[in-house]
Amino acid sequence: QVQLQESGPGLVKPSQTLSLTCTVSGGSITTGYYYWNWIRQPPGKGLEWMGAIFYSGRTYYYSPSLKSRTSISRDTSKNQFTLQLSSVTPEDTAVYYCARSAYYTGSYVGYVEVWGQGTLVTVSS
């Protein structure tokens, strides 16, 4: 059974870069035609899909509203994929989730079949 676990700092200062890692166990990120996603939920708001990397590592997808600040990468030797969000502001405070889907989700997170537990990142000076 595949499991996902987010890790990274819980507090980031404004204008800095937020970096999170998702460690996958019980399955490989390089097989299975899966999409490996990053999704966030600001306090009191709904889920927001941020981007994804396809299992092949050759295709990346980003939310248009975040594309200029977002970068997703992977380390196949560690079975991990990462999120970097630059120039953060307090509006980027959210619970950040990594997740697996069998289909491209875009704004429809209903295709997500496996979620990490989520990690709260607060942007504050």
Side-chain angles (χ1 to χ4, degrees):
Q1 179 179 350
V2 65
Q3 294 183 315
L4 288 72
Q5 178 68 58
E6 304 88 352
S7 60
L11 179 64
V12 181
K13 295 184 184 301
S15 81
Q16 292 187 342
T17 295
L18 178 161
S19 296
L20 295 174
T21 297
C22 182
T23 300
V24 179
S25 59
S28 173
I29 63 171
T30 64
T31 62
Y33 295 91
Y34 292 113
Y35 296 80
W36 301 93
N37 302 270
W38 285 100
I39 297 166
R40 69 180 183 179
Q41 185 169 29
K45 297 184 179 180
L47 293 166
E48 179 184 21
W49 178 80
M50 301 180 69
I53 178 172
F54 195 40
Y55 83 101
S56 64
R58 288 196 290 267
T59 310
Y60 299 80
Y61 306 86
Y62 295 103
S63 167
S65 63
L66 296 170
K67 184 176 182 178
S68 64
R69 299 195 291 131
T70 307
S71 177
I72 296 174
S73 61
R74 69 178 190 174
D75 185 337
T76 58
S77 67
K78 297 180 180 179
N79 213 36
Q80 296 174 332
F81 62 107
T82 63
L83 170 73
Q84 289 194 315
L85 181 66
S86 63
S87 304
V88 297
T89 72
E91 286 66 43
D92 293 309
T93 295
V95 176
Y96 286 76
Y97 299 93
C98 57
R100 189 187 80 174
S101 62
Y103 302 94
Y104 169 70
T105 64
S107 60
Y108 181 63
V109 297
Y111 285 138
V112 171
E113 52 183 13
V114 183
W115 292 84
Q117 66 180 29
T119 186
L120 174 63
V121 178
T122 301
V123 179
S124 175
S125 56

